[in-house]
Amino acid sequence: MGYVKDSIFYNDAIQVMRYDYATYYLFDTFIVAEIDEGIVYTWDDHAAPIVAELSELYDQNGENLVLISNRVHSYSVKPSDWIKFFKSDYKLRGYAIVSYTRKGLIASLVEKLFMRNTFKSFESLEDAVAWAKMLTQHPEENAKDKSA
């Protein structure tokens, strides 16, 4: 498993934000989230507050950011809460899930059903970061790679 703190990317993080339920690593054009073990991640309890804070920090609504969910712990996401995300003013250039287990890869397929953003699953953090950088450096790829 690839924790950001143990990766080559850690020193490039602009800021590390630690919450009771997760750690967020902020980079210029992407964010890596590592949700804690056993959390049931919801819009109201978790996503909405961090979205508001990140909107202020990045001074944008997220349309030029990629979110990478680095699934180093076992936790649950309420997939239907993506609808609440899409009803908010916050957008994403792309969303990636890094899963290290077969169960995790299958769970990401369920989340994909609720996605309206460019979405991709990965088995390594390195591949997800490379994809995030490509999406933000070459926005035209966004249209071609909606759900790879």
Side-chain angles (χ1 to χ4, degrees), residues 62-133:
E63 64 192 356
N64 295 315
L65 293 172
V66 174
L67 175 62
I68 300 171
S69 177
N70 190 30
R71 306 251 168 119
V72 291
H73 300 289
S74 178
Y75 66 95
S76 302
V77 174
K78 187 175 176 187
S80 61
D81 273 10
W82 277 108
I83 295 166
K84 293 179 182 179
F85 173 83
F86 294 121
K87 288 183 180 179
S88 75
D89 290 331
Y90 200 75
K91 310 292 179 226
L92 288 172
R93 167 91 44 196
Y95 177 61
I97 294 177
V98 181
S99 296
Y100 299 94
T101 65
R102 181 162 168 71
K103 181 181 176 184
L105 288 171
I106 292 169
S108 70
L109 294 175
V110 173
E111 278 187 74
K112 181 179 177 179
L113 296 173
F114 294 89
M115 291 302 301
R116 293 184 190 159
N117 296 89
T118 301
F119 173 91
K120 196 158 183 168
S121 294
F122 295 93
E123 294 181 23
S124 78
L125 181 60
E126 291 79 9
D127 290 344
V129 168
W131 179 77
K133 288 179 178 180

Side-chain angles (χ1 to χ4, degrees), residues 21 40-52 78 80-85 88:
Y21 57 88
V40 177
Y41 198 85
T42 66
W43 171 257
D44 295 327
D45 295 335
H46 307 102
I50 190 70
V51 162
K78 187 175 176 187
S80 61
D81 273 10
W82 277 108
I83 295 166
K84 293 179 182 179
F85 173 83
S88 75

Side-chain angles (χ1 to χ4, degrees), residues 31-66:
I31 299 162
V32 180
E34 292 180 351
I35 310 302
D36 293 347
E37 185 76 28
I39 297 295
V40 177
Y41 198 85
T42 66
W43 171 257
D44 295 327
D45 295 335
H46 307 102
I50 190 70
V51 162
E53 190 167 350
L54 292 175
S55 292
E56 283 189 34
L57 287 172
Y58 281 96
D59 195 27
Q60 61 164 303
N61 68 352
E63 64 192 356
N64 295 315
L65 293 172
V66 174

